[in-house]
Amino acid sequence: MTLNDSSSATGITRFFRSIKGDDDERERAFTVDLATSETSSEDIEIDGKLKAPIEGEGGGGASFERYYVPIDSYEGRHRYDPKARWTEDEERALVRRLDWKICAWCCLMFFALQLDRSNITQALSDHMLDDLGLTTNDYNTGQTIFYLTFLIAELPSQLVSKKIGPDNWIPIQMISWSIIASCQSRIDSRGSFYATRGLMGAIEGGFIPDVILYLSYFYTSKELPIRCSFFWTAYSCTFIISAFLAYGILHLRGYNGWAGWQWLFALEGALTALIGLISWFYLPPSPTQTASKFRGKNGWFSAREETIMVNRIIRDDPSKGDMHNRQALSPSLFWEALKDYDMWPIYLLGLTWSIPQTPAQSYITLIIGSLGFNTFQTNLLTIPAYALFIVQLIAWTWLSEKINNRFLIVLVCQLWMLPLLIALEVLPGGSTHAWARYVLNLMLVGFPYIHAILVALTSRNAGSVRTRTVGTAIYNMCVQASNIISSNIYRTPDSPYYYTGNKVLLGLTAWNIVVIIGAKSYYAWRNTVREKKWNAMSKGEREAYLAGFTGEERGVGNVDGTGNRRKGGNKRLDFRFVH
């Protein structure tokens, strides 16, 4: 499908461009002939360090870059130049600018998401359940409804995002859910509690994979994991900042006849609405489409900088040039992505890897409160757990790339939780061990959070834009499904020490260890088989094989000379899985 084939999508896009003030000339930039690129084949050397084009394929010494040319409608096609060169210093400086302009803002948006998604934890400490006449089981049901609607909305949201662009869809989501978040201040019954939790989940669902898709337009596969760790650092910082915000806002209890938790929902929802409104005008569609009335008529980057951004992205992952950023997935592309069995090990792991820690995080304020601390002490005592969370998140994500071993770090996460859960299971009840129980729960909440590693792994192992779009959403759906499971493990009859629930968590931890080892073994085996086949091919056979893929066919495959379908994307013989 090209832009001309999608009149409805083009009409929607033009409408959004007009009200956002985006520059039409920059939007149509892909029609510019490649020869007009100001930096075409430009050789500049600084300190003897020059980023040269990729030569050869699989060590064969041949130049196969002509088989990885982006489609004509790709938004950065006018900046594509297989002979472009740049220095490492130039690239580092450019990535730092991307971090400030793109990644930092995405982190702020995630802060807003988590603020509205998790402030119910602070609301619990202000006796929200007692004020509404609800029980812990009612709360569990409400959270289950939230996660269920969040899960159901993941995939449709991602498909909408792919059609109209995440730069349009993400702000729409934010403003919509901020309205519901503020309306939570007026809930007065079990029914209204359930309704608002359901609506919040339905609107917020898909936000995370939408942002991951957006970040993939700007960053290479090697850079994405650490940026995802920054993303989830914002998630953890939200708990720390929201604890201080809650400390102040909850003191408003009684003002104007409202409880503290009502003020919390109203004010924090209004803050998200403001961030969403600014995001509508701030987010650019892609590295080559930053010009607008609000971002400046000349955009953020020079022609040379745009050339560097486009070519480093395409050289890292040629599949990113197979579709443009306003191209919807056809039913056939969607089905191809859905049945991609090579992604299933990651989905299976997504169902259970976080469950052993989630109940401790969900109930930490109730657990601390049951130890005798008041509302304000309880919120402040959660801060050390999230500070530890941040340190471990960044450190372990960085290490996974440094040692080039992701599943080993994922395994470390489970080995961290195992002794803590055993200790909680055998620790006697009573006030004598109150501080020991607090420390164990603190260590559980501050565990090695490997979600950023697995999200980036999903993106890298997708091998095509269509599988990346669908796969990221499905993985996140699995994670949300795990939240539904985990929200029903700690039950009221089992409180306050949850010995039965901890036994379940121990069993799931053991299961996770088995799945992690199995997933790593599977991807290593798949790479070994392909390596043997690829090395057995001559230079001519490799070139003939690559010549069989053009444009979008690189992602879905095509029919070879024998009439059989040659599989593309992550099924190609020259593709290697990261593990």
Side-chain angles (χ1 to χ4, degrees):
M1 183 178 75
T2 66
L3 285 179
N4 292 332
D5 298 327
S6 182
S7 58
S8 62
T10 302
I12 294 172
T13 302
R14 287 175 178 169
F15 170 73
F16 285 141
R17 280 206 310 266
S18 66
I19 59 177
K20 292 175 69 174
D22 283 347
D23 192 325
D24 270 352
E25 292 304 315
R26 284 299 185 98
E27 196 72 85
R28 295 196 302 270
F30 65 84
T31 62
V32 179
D33 188 83
L34 183 61
T36 66
S37 175
E38 298 175 16
T39 57
S40 180
S41 304
E42 184 176 13
D43 288 348
I44 298 177
E45 187 167 355
I46 300 177
D47 298 329
K49 298 177 181 178
L50 194 63
K51 278 277 193 168
I54 297 174
E55 296 291 342
E57 178 68 36
S63 181
F64 292 157
E65 69 265 8
R66 65 183 178 277
Y67 301 121
Y68 300 99
V69 177
I71 60 174
D72 290 339
S73 59
Y74 171 59
E75 62 275 5
R77 180 64 176 82
H78 66 300
R79 298 299 185 207
Y80 174 71
D81 183 356
K83 296 180 181 180
R85 295 187 173 195
W86 58 89
T87 67
E88 290 182 358
D89 289 340
E90 282 183 292
E91 186 169 5
R92 277 196 296 266
L94 191 53
V95 171
R96 283 196 296 269
R97 289 185 64 194
L98 287 173
D99 287 342
W100 281 110
K101 289 185 173 292
I102 300 298
C103 187
W105 193 264
C106 287
C107 289
L108 178 63
M109 294 190 298
F110 195 23
F111 166 84
L113 170 78
Q114 195 57 31
L115 189 67
D116 287 335
R117 187 167 65 165
S118 66
N119 57 8
I120 192 168
T121 303
Q122 283 88 31
L124 292 179
S125 69
D126 192 48
H127 311 292
M128 185 188 84
L129 297 183
D130 293 336
D131 290 348
L132 295 173
L134 304 179
T135 66
T136 302
N137 287 346
D138 293 329
Y139 170 72
N140 286 341
T141 302
Q143 289 300 87
T144 299
I145 293 172
F146 171 84
Y147 290 125
L148 185 61
T149 55
F150 196 102
L151 182 155
I152 293 171
E154 290 273 5
L155 198 50
S157 175
Q158 187 76 328
L159 296 177
V160 172
S161 178
K162 188 66 186 71
K163 181 170 184 177
I164 70 174
D167 57 298
N168 290 319
W169 181 237
I170 291 171
I172 292 174
Q173 284 180 287
M174 294 183 69
I175 295 171
S176 300
W177 89 58
S178 69
I179 296 172
I180 305 301
S182 295
C183 287
Q184 289 181 115
S185 63
R186 305 303 294 168
I187 59 177
D188 56 6
S189 64
R190 182 185 293 106
S192 56
F193 173 65
Y194 290 165
T196 53
R197 296 314 290 170
L199 287 172
M200 283 282 288
I203 299 172
E204 290 181 350
F207 173 86
I208 295 174
D210 292 342
V211 175
I212 299 301
L213 176 66
Y214 183 68
L215 288 174
S216 72
Y217 295 161
F218 298 88
Y219 291 103
T220 66
S221 58
K222 190 77 173 177
E223 294 162 350
L224 190 58
I226 195 66
R227 271 71 199 176
C228 287
S229 75
F230 295 160
F231 194 48
W232 271 280
T233 296
Y235 161 89
S236 190
C237 285
T238 306
F239 288 104
I240 297 175
I241 296 172
S242 64
F244 284 110
L245 289 175
Y247 181 83
I249 295 174
L250 293 179
H251 274 94
L252 292 174
R253 173 174 274 271
Y255 185 76
N256 203 34
W258 277 20
W261 58 266
Q262 291 178 294
W263 284 109
L264 188 74
F265 287 139
L267 295 176
E268 292 185 349
L271 177 60
T272 296
L274 178 62
I275 296 173
L277 183 62
I278 297 173
S279 298
W280 173 259
F281 299 103
Y282 181 83
L283 294 178
S286 76
T288 61
Q289 297 167 300
T290 59
S292 75
K293 294 177 182 177
F294 305 97
R295 293 184 296 269
K297 65 178 182 179
N298 295 321
W300 290 344
F301 307 107
S302 67
R304 175 166 178 78
E305 288 172 328
E306 289 182 356
T307 299
I308 294 173
M309 285 190 289
V310 168
N311 287 281
R312 75 190 199 95
I313 290 294
I314 296 299
R315 291 176 191 178
D316 172 72
D317 184 355
S319 73
K320 291 182 180 180
D322 294 348
M323 299 179 74
H324 62 77
N325 62 357
R326 293 290 191 272
Q327 183 172 343
L329 290 181
S330 65
S332 61
L333 287 176
F334 175 74
W335 175 243
E336 288 288 337
L338 204 60
K339 67 179 185 179
D340 190 338
Y341 54 84
D342 281 318
M343 302 300 292
W344 294 353
I346 302 177
Y347 302 157
L348 181 62
L349 188 56
L351 279 172
T352 56
W353 74 264
S354 66
I355 292 179
Q357 178 267 355
T358 306
Q361 179 175 301
S362 299
Y363 284 83
I364 189 168
T365 54
L366 292 179
I367 291 171
I368 295 173
S370 70
L371 300 178
F373 298 103
N374 64 35
T375 298
F376 309 108
Q377 291 171 333
T378 294
N379 282 291
L380 293 177
L381 282 170
T382 64
I383 293 176
Y386 298 116
L388 177 63
F389 180 101
I390 291 172
V391 172
Q392 297 221 75
L393 167 61
I394 296 176
W396 289 111
T397 304
W398 174 84
L399 184 61
S400 71
E401 291 298 317
K402 183 71 175 178
I403 66 175
N404 196 31
N405 198 324
R406 288 90 193 160
F407 281 110
L408 176 62
I409 305 304
V410 175
L411 182 62
V412 167
C413 166
Q414 302 302 314
L415 296 179
W416 173 281
M417 292 186 288
L418 186 61
L420 297 174
L421 291 169
I422 292 173
L424 284 172
E425 180 62 23
V426 301
L427 189 69
S431 59
T432 307
H433 303 285
W435 279 105
R437 195 171 299 279
Y438 163 71
V439 170
L440 290 171
N441 279 283
L442 181 152
M443 297 289 283
L444 266 179
V445 174
F447 79 136
Y449 191 67
I450 46 82
H451 193 32
I453 298 174
L454 289 175
V455 167
L457 194 66
T458 304
S459 178
R460 292 168 84 163
N461 284 349
S464 65
V465 176
R466 46 96 180 172
T467 302
R468 183 174 296 113
T469 301
V470 176
T472 305
I474 294 178
Y475 166 74
N476 214 51
M477 289 172 68
C478 292
V479 173
Q480 299 311 317
S482 76
N483 287 328
I484 295 175
I485 299 169
S486 63
S487 66
N488 290 281
I489 290 178
Y490 280 3
R491 307 296 293 178
T492 300
D494 198 26
S495 64
Y497 304 117
Y498 304 104
Y499 288 123
T500 301
N502 288 332
K503 288 184 178 71
V504 175
L505 298 180
L506 281 169
L508 286 168
T509 304
W511 162 257
N512 288 340
I513 291 172
V514 173
V515 174
I516 292 166
I517 295 173
K520 182 170 180 64
S521 300
Y522 174 79
Y523 287 125
W525 169 74
R526 290 284 281 163
N527 285 348
T528 299
V529 171
R530 290 183 184 181
E531 191 72 20
K532 289 180 180 178
K533 291 181 179 179
W534 186 253
N535 290 338
M537 297 169 70
S538 66
K539 174 185 171 181
E541 287 174 330
R542 291 181 185 180
E543 191 160 358
Y545 177 83
L546 294 174
F549 298 96
T550 59
E552 294 173 28
E553 291 173 351
R554 288 198 294 263
V556 297
N558 66 355
V559 179
D560 61 23
T562 65
N564 297 318
R565 176 163 288 278
R566 180 185 285 124
K567 295 182 178 180
N570 60 13
K571 302 297 181 290
R572 288 170 54 135
L573 291 179
D574 59 335
F575 182 88
R576 299 293 178 268
F577 292 103
V578 173
H579 58 84

